[in-house]
């Protein structure tokens, strides 16, 4: 990936970057299909329906496009031809009371002869960002980000938990449907920013101690061909990880019953801490990467990313 081919040298002056817009829709769909086998089997209409949440998210509001030129992603052009698409979502979040611009990479699809341009494309996407993340990198991109750009791991393990009945009724769960039922202003903002996506919010309380989580419930047809089709819960953000960890089995069971889930409750290990237990759990590796001058490990979550926006 790091070597420049003769074709790349010959086309160096022709290649340019441009913010994604509907002008490049057909070319972007074509480059996605050339680089992802499963996408090549989809119609343009279905593939665009899948992509749309990543290029039409609303939480930036009326932010001047000049401040975030690649808010809908970046296309790599050779003349008038789209030869690459680098997806990214941007969001403003607070770190210790300070407003910071996050960029979260999503889908990268670049034709083989142009992959050298991933380097300058990544830098272009990050020009104005304070925090850079990628929660779903392909293996080749993971190596690139870790070895060349010195990304760090926010989390490297996910826990998959099968439904296990719990007779305990010590934790009270409340499922929130309306923003006005959320008293905390930051939680309310996250809720409103993800309105229209498959993101849900619930609170949990035991003996006066309170917590909460954002999650999504999606259909997965298979998981390495060994798990039956079904709906699963993916946890995106946790408030009070210690309370969740101490009551994991009961909370997971009640959530699974509420959602009618027959397979997994899935949670990043970083959301649980070290002292958690569940009788039927499977651990699997995952790469959640970050590049930041500030420590955001205590504010780690998966909101404002493709994991919270892509449709089930």
């Amino acid at each position: 990936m790091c070597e420049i081919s003769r074709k790349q040298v010959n086309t160096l002056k022709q290649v340019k970057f441009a913010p994604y817009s509907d002008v490049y829709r057909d070319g972007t769909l074509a480059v996605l299909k050339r680089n992802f086998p499963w996408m090549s089997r989809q119609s343009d209409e279905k593939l665009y329906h899948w992509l749309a949440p990543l290029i039409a998210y609303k939480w930036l509001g009326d932010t001047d496009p000049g401040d975030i030129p690649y808010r809908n992603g970046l296309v790599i052009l050779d003349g008038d031809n789209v030869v690459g698409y680098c997806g990214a979502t941007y969001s403003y979040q607070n770190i210790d009371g300070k407003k910071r611009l996050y960029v979260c990479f999503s889908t990268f699809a670049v034709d083989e002869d142009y992959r050298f341009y991933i380097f300058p494309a990544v830098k272009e996407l990050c020009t104005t960002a304070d925090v850079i993340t990628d929660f779903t990198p392909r293996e080749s991109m993971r190596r690139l980000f870790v070895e060349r750009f010195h990304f760090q791991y926010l989390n490297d393990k996910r826990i998959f938990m099968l439904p296990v009945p719990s007779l305990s009724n010590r934790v009270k769960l409340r499922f929130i449907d309306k923003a006005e039922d959320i008293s905390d202003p930051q939680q309310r903002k996250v809720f409103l920013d993800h309105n229209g996506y498959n993101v849900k919010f619930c609170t949990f309380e035991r003996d006066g101690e309170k917590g909460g989580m954002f999650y999504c419930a999606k259909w997965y047809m298979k998981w390495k061909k060994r798990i039956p089709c079904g709906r699963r819960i993916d946890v995106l953000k946790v408030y009070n990880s210690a309370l969740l960890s101490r009551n994991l089995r009961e909370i997971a069971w009640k959530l699974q019953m509420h959602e009618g889930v027959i397979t997994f409750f899935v949670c990043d290990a970083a959301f649980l801490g070290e002292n958690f237990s569940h009788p039927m759990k499977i651990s699997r590796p995952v790469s959640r990467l970050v590049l930041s001058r500030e420590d955001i490990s205590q504010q780690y979550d998966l909101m404002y990313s493709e994991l919270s926006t892509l449709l089930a």
Side-chain angles (χ1 to χ4, degrees):
M1 183 181 290
C2 300
E3 298 180 358
I4 306 176
S5 69
R6 180 172 297 179
K7 180 173 182 179
Q8 289 167 347
V9 172
N10 292 338
T11 62
L12 186 60
K13 294 182 180 180
Q14 301 177 47
V15 172
K16 62 181 181 180
F17 303 143
Y20 174 87
S21 70
D22 285 343
V23 172
Y24 304 115
R25 170 177 167 167
D26 292 345
T28 298
L29 296 178
V31 78
L32 287 170
K33 289 185 174 185
R34 291 196 297 270
N35 284 273
F36 290 91
W38 76 265
M39 294 187 186
S40 67
R41 297 188 291 269
Q42 307 300 314
S43 67
D44 283 0
E45 182 180 1
K46 287 185 177 181
L47 184 55
Y48 184 76
H49 179 71
W50 174 86
L51 181 67
L54 296 177
I55 57 178
Y57 56 94
K58 306 295 185 184
W59 55 69
L60 287 176
D62 297 327
T63 302
D64 186 345
D67 295 339
I68 311 176
Y70 298 106
R71 61 191 295 166
N72 297 324
L74 174 151
V75 292
I76 303 174
L77 300 170
D78 185 350
D80 294 328
N81 299 317
V82 177
V83 296
Y85 170 76
C86 301
T89 58
Y90 293 80
S91 61
Y92 285 106
Q93 301 184 47
N94 289 321
I95 300 178
D96 296 329
K98 300 177 182 178
K99 186 178 180 180
R100 295 289 185 257
L101 179 62
Y102 280 59
V103 57
C104 185
F105 297 143
S106 55
T107 300
F108 277 42
V110 181
D111 290 337
E112 186 173 1
D113 288 334
Y114 298 88
R115 289 177 186 165
F116 168 77
Y117 298 100
I118 291 176
F119 287 89
V122 166
K123 292 182 179 179
E124 190 77 6
L125 286 168
C126 300
T127 299
T128 58
D130 301 302
V131 180
I132 308 159
T133 60
D134 192 338
F135 298 143
T136 57
R138 299 169 79 174
E139 177 58 21
S140 58
M141 296 305 299
R142 184 199 65 79
R143 292 198 305 269
L144 172 67
F145 290 149
V146 172
E147 296 172 9
R148 299 291 180 176
F149 290 96
H150 305 295
F151 276 62
Q152 303 296 313
Y153 285 89
L154 278 168
N155 183 63
D156 61 2
K157 184 167 60 177
R158 274 193 302 178
I159 311 300
F160 292 72
M161 289 158 272
L162 285 162
V164 176
S166 172
L167 298 179
S168 175
N169 196 29
R170 298 173 181 174
V171 182
K172 179 181 178 182
L173 267 67
R174 183 185 179 203
F175 298 92
I176 308 298
D177 297 319
K178 300 177 181 179
E180 52 264 35
D181 293 334
I182 303 175
S183 58
D184 184 280
Q186 291 189 351
Q187 293 178 6
R188 190 186 312 118
K189 182 181 185 304
V190 175
F191 183 90
L192 289 171
D193 284 345
H194 290 80
N195 184 35
Y197 298 111
N198 188 28
V199 174
K200 303 181 180 183
F201 181 59
C202 76
T203 62
F204 43 87
E205 180 179 352
R206 177 177 176 178
D207 299 331
E209 186 178 0
K210 299 179 181 180
M213 73 172 74
F214 283 94
Y215 68 95
C216 61
K218 298 182 178 181
W219 282 98
Y220 286 82
M221 295 310 297
K222 62 182 179 180
W223 185 67
K224 294 189 177 181
K225 300 181 179 180
R226 292 178 296 179
I227 303 301
C229 65
R231 214 163 173 239
R232 95 181 186 200
I233 290 170
D234 282 48
V235 177
L236 301 170
K237 184 179 181 70
V238 174
Y239 301 93
N240 198 338
S241 295
L243 182 59
L244 172 63
S245 299
R246 294 196 304 270
N247 300 276
L248 182 59
R249 178 174 171 179
E250 181 179 350
I251 292 173
W253 172 249
K254 288 182 174 179
L255 261 175
Q256 287 168 316
M257 291 303 97
H258 177 80
E259 295 293 342
V261 174
I262 63 170
T263 54
F264 286 116
F265 176 88
V266 185
C267 190
D268 279 22
F271 293 152
L272 296 172
E274 298 179 358
N275 300 315
F276 74 92
S277 64
H278 192 279
M280 294 189 68
K281 65 180 185 295
I282 304 170
S283 175
R284 287 291 182 266
V286 69
S287 297
R288 313 292 198 205
L289 304 178
V290 66
L291 185 63
S292 173
R293 292 188 180 91
E294 301 174 83
D295 181 11
I296 68 166
S297 59
Q298 298 302 312
Q299 298 169 274
Y300 166 61
D301 62 67
L302 303 174
M303 307 303 289
Y304 301 100
S305 72
E306 66 175 341
L307 294 174
S308 66
T309 54
L310 289 180
L311 299 177

